[in-house]
Amino acid sequence: MRALRWVLVVALALAVLALAALTLGVFATLNPNAPLWLRSLGSVEGVLSARVGLEGVASYSRAVGLTLLTSLLAGLAAYLKPRG
């Protein structure tokens, strides 16, 4: 059971890192002076959200939604982490 929890924590941590990068990219697309590599991450997120069917949602709303989802997953990973 303890090993399964560690596997879940690592999987959730990797998902959090990926979502955090996409979130940063979406916020970067809102600023035309942001570095190109950050705006490229936002472009990747735009393609992914179009596949899911969220192309009609404003970029700021998607960024806030991704921020909330990333925070929830990070909290879940911390909650599931095996202790002592």
Side-chain angles (χ1 to χ4, degrees), residues 1-81:
M1 184 68 174
R2 190 172 175 95
L4 178 62
R5 287 183 103 175
W6 274 113
V7 169
L8 282 172
V9 167
V10 170
L12 284 172
L14 291 175
V16 165
L17 288 174
L19 284 174
L22 290 177
T23 303
L24 187 61
V26 176
F27 277 118
T29 60
L30 298 173
N31 181 6
N33 294 325
L36 180 61
W37 67 273
L38 277 178
R39 287 185 285 148
S40 298
L41 287 175
S43 299
V44 169
E45 188 278 333
V47 169
L48 292 175
S49 65
R51 278 192 171 188
V52 176
L54 297 175
E55 65 271 355
V57 180
S59 294
Y60 183 75
S61 299
R62 283 196 326 258
V64 170
L66 277 173
T67 302
L68 293 174
L69 180 62
T70 304
S71 299
L72 287 173
L73 285 180
L76 183 62
Y79 179 75
L80 289 177
K81 182 176 165 253

